Amino acid sequence: AQSVTQPDIHITVSEGASLELRCNYSYGATPYLFWYVQSPGQGLQLLLKYFSGDTLVQGIKGFEAEFKRSQSSFNLRKPSVHWSDAAEYFCAVGDSNYQLIWGAGTKLIIKP
Amino acid sequence: NAGVTQTPKFQVLKTGQSMTLQCAQDMNHEYMSWYRQDPGMGLRLIHYSVGAGITDQGEVPNGYNVSRSTTEDFPLRLLSAAPSQTSVYFCASSYSSISSYEQYFGPGTRLTVT
């Protein structure tokens, strides 16, 4: 069955430090992969997407993610986090019916 | 553009009551969907629509009805509210079903059923 796993429910990072959020997927074919961000009290916003080609993709707000087929992973990274990055981050994989299969989310907490 | 709008933002219902969550978009998007978000479970698809007059069930459709009479509006009806429907509900839209991975979300409706 198709699934997305985000192993970390919460992550706490100091402001200015680097960030990596983990995402693992289970999908039979070549996956379409996404990261969405949900700021407090807001709806979700697309951060970045991978369809094919270069395995390192750039997104908005200085985020990037790397697709590693051998590890079935699509981890999200940022070199230096800002307090405004505090939010919940969702990884998702697109299935063959154009639907998204969502991970449970990782809540990012920024320490001043 | 207002994007995707949802009303109300908060709602408290008693068990057995019915209500309609409103969703509208002004981007002329063909595809619209409703999700519910519960702690630790990510988003689960309730119903979706690929165009006016066409709706289909998602992962968790029981207890909910939808209709799509116009491109802009996609209301979600709770027929007889149950405590298990306490959740945050998000409406989303995208240009078409083929691009439905890239969705624009509304701000959500927080529903409590007592």
Side-chain angles (χ1 to χ4, degrees), chain A:
Chain A
Q2 303 154 3
S3 64
V4 176
T5 301
Q6 294 180 246
D8 305 303
I9 299 174
H10 298 100
I11 280 195
T12 301
V13 175
S14 296
E15 191 169 14
S18 63
L19 170 71
E20 183 168 26
L21 302 182
R22 296 183 291 164
C23 172
N24 293 97
Y25 66 89
S26 171
Y27 189 71
T30 301
Y32 297 154
L33 295 161
F34 305 84
W35 276 98
Y36 279 79
V37 60
Q38 183 181 24
S39 298
Q42 305 286 323
L44 283 74
Q45 180 184 21
L46 180 65
L47 268 181
L48 49 77
K49 62 191 177 193
Y50 171 79
F51 283 170
S52 65
D54 193 345
T55 56
L56 184 65
V57 294
Q58 303 297 321
I60 62 171
K61 306 186 182 191
F63 285 90
E64 65 178 28
E66 186 171 13
F67 169 56
K68 293 186 177 180
R69 185 186 299 274
S70 62
Q71 299 177 19
S72 298
S73 70
F74 188 57
N75 294 350
L76 182 71
R77 301 195 294 245
K78 187 169 186 178
S80 175
V81 298
H82 185 262
W83 64 266
S84 60
D85 293 323
E88 191 156 18
Y89 292 81
F90 292 90
C91 182
V93 63
D95 72 10
S96 56
N97 293 319
Y98 305 108
Q99 305 294 351
L100 287 168
I101 301 165
W102 297 87
T106 297
K107 187 170 184 179
L108 175 63
I109 301 163
I110 307 295
K111 285 194 303 187

